[in-house]
Amino acid sequence: RKEVEQDPGPFNVPEGATVAFNCTYSNSASQSFFWYRQDCRKEPKLLMSVYSSGNEDGRFTAQLNRASQYISLLIRDSKLSDSATYLCVANQAGTALIFGKGTTLSVSS
Amino acid sequence: DAGITQSPRHKVTETGTPVTLRCHQTENHRYMYWYRQDPGHGLRLIHYSYGVKDTDKGEVSDGYSVSRSKTEDFLLTLESATSSQTSVYFCAVSREDTEAFFGQGTRLTVV
């Protein structure tokens, strides 16, 4: 079983929509969590870290639910420039970072 | 910018030849990783290192070896390249329990 699972999508939404992605992880010892963004044929780049209390950065909100072992990313007021693949990561200290396969978002005008 | 350089950025090689990819970092990150990315598979871990001469296998390590003789360099070697190893290879670095930063990737084609 893959340690980190995501719905691959694609999610096709109009500009201005709110969209949410979920990601489940199987290792209960995972301690740190992140969301990355990857544009076509480019390297992944950190979008935001995910904290237990939840955190927000502008239009983006990340949540962590340790009891159910999932993390989420909410994007409000979607922009065309948000079109990308979003990768979640769960990490146990001292081990390698394991990525989900990614969720593809396409925002249209 | 975490000071990560991958070389070469593009390479075409023939089946059966050895290939070495290099990842160089300038900011003294302890952890270094090699991933490959293929359509439908996402990022898959090949090998990673948690210190000089300390390495471990990832989920797709068969056919690959690594070496880390200096903190700043992590080498990935394909002993005898096969067409199934045609892929985009990403190097990443991180500190303990923190986010990872990626190099720009190496596009490898095995013909």
Side-chain angles (χ1 to χ4, degrees), chain B residues 47-90:
Chain B
H47 283 278
Y48 71 103
S49 170
Y50 46 96
V52 173
K53 297 186 179 177
D54 292 323
T55 65
D56 206 350
K57 295 179 179 180
E59 61 181 307
V60 290
S61 59
D62 288 347
Y64 302 94
S65 62
V66 290
S67 66
R68 191 171 179 196
S69 58
K70 298 185 290 184
T71 298
E72 57 266 33
D73 288 324
F74 193 32
L75 304 180
L76 176 71
T77 297
L78 289 65
E79 304 290 349
S80 177
T82 67
S83 58
S84 64
Q85 294 176 311
T86 292
S87 187
V88 179
Y89 292 85
F90 287 105

Side-chain angles (χ1 to χ4, degrees), chain A residues 32 36 38 41 43 94 96-97, chain B residues 31 35 37 96-97 100 103 107:
Chain A
S32 54
Y36 281 75
Q38 185 174 27
R41 302 172 75 85
E43 74 273 22
L97 293 165
Chain B
Y31 290 85
Y35 294 89
Q37 188 171 40
E96 186 80 34
D97 203 26
R107 296 189 178 278

Side-chain angles (χ1 to χ4, degrees), chain A residues 46-96:
Chain A
L46 180 69
L47 178 64
M48 57 197 306
S49 302
V50 186
Y51 304 118
S52 296
S53 56
N55 48 301
E56 186 174 310
D57 182 2
R59 298 181 293 108
F60 299 84
T61 300
Q63 296 277 355
L64 167 63
N65 185 317
R66 287 190 183 273
S68 301
Q69 294 187 198
Y70 77 84
I71 63 174
S72 63
L73 177 68
L74 181 76
I75 304 175
R76 292 180 298 278
D77 189 21
S78 298
K79 311 291 185 189
L80 294 175
S81 58
D82 294 333
S83 296
T85 297
Y86 292 84
L87 305 164
C88 66
V89 184
N91 183 34
Q92 177 184 355
T95 67

Side-chain angles (χ1 to χ4, degrees), chain B residues 2-69:
Chain B
I4 306 165
T5 305
Q6 289 187 232
S7 59
R9 293 290 315 281
H10 302 271
K11 186 171 182 66
V12 180
T13 192
E14 293 186 349
T15 299
T17 60
V19 176
T20 295
L21 308 182
R22 181 182 184 232
C23 178
H24 178 79
Q25 59 145 331
T26 59
E27 298 193 10
N28 204 34
H29 287 81
R30 178 184 175 190
Y31 290 85
M32 299 186 75
Y33 313 85
W34 277 108
Y35 294 89
R36 61 177 289 175
Q37 188 171 40
D38 306 286
H41 290 280
L43 282 163
R44 291 184 290 174
L45 181 67
I46 305 172
H47 283 278
Y48 71 103
S49 170
Y50 46 96
V52 173
K53 297 186 179 177
D54 292 323
T55 65
D56 206 350
K57 295 179 179 180
E59 61 181 307
V60 290
S61 59
D62 288 347
Y64 302 94
S65 62
V66 290
S67 66
R68 191 171 179 196
S69 58

